[in-house]
Amino acid sequence: MYRSGDAYKSKHRRRAKAVGARGSFDKWDVSIRLAKQRGRCHYCGERLDTHGPNKFQADHWIPLSRGGTNYAVNIVCACPGCNLAKGDKLPWEFRPARWDPGARRDD
């Protein structure tokens, strides 16, 4: 049986295995992603909590249920509200305005 002290890796690995998604990531991948996002939610841009009940969540940018992988390149950090609201939507279905021409989606 797989055992790890890394909650991200074990939780998401089970979910990925259930849908047949390939790949894995760990807490180091999440911390790198959080730094690239400058500590802000990928979707709404609000400052992310790193501790407590509203701690940020690792989200699959392309949901596992929609064919996304469990590799680190498919992980973004999101606030609990955005992650819950996004559910299994694709990013352009969740926040279509970010995909309009000229939108600053990568900031």
Side-chain angles (χ1 to χ4, degrees):
M1 170 149 238
Y2 174 79
R3 297 251 184 240
S4 170
D6 190 338
Y8 290 115
K9 192 170 186 174
S10 58
K11 174 186 171 193
H12 290 283
R13 184 176 181 178
R14 284 190 306 274
R15 291 184 54 228
K17 187 177 179 181
V19 296
R22 296 179 7 198
S24 69
F25 66 96
D26 58 25
K27 63 184 174 185
W28 304 112
D29 296 317
V30 174
S31 65
I32 290 167
R33 184 66 204 170
L34 185 61
K36 284 182 180 179
Q37 291 178 213
R38 297 182 192 105
R40 300 202 171 271
C41 175
H42 181 76
Y43 301 111
C44 69
E46 292 295 317
R47 174 74 65 205
L48 292 171
D49 291 338
T50 56
H51 297 87
N54 289 324
K55 182 180 176 184
F56 75 91
Q57 300 172 355
D59 179 46
H60 291 92
W61 194 66
I62 304 295
L64 296 175
S65 64
R66 304 280 294 266
T69 68
N70 200 38
Y71 288 111
V73 296
N74 192 37
I75 299 300
V76 295
C77 298
C79 65
C82 284
N83 194 20
L84 181 65
K86 179 179 173 269
D88 69 347
K89 295 179 186 95
L90 294 169
W92 44 91
E93 295 169 343
F94 175 57
R95 297 270 184 182
R98 283 192 81 188
W99 301 94
D100 288 342
R104 297 176 55 179
R105 64 178 162 263
D106 295 327
D107 288 348

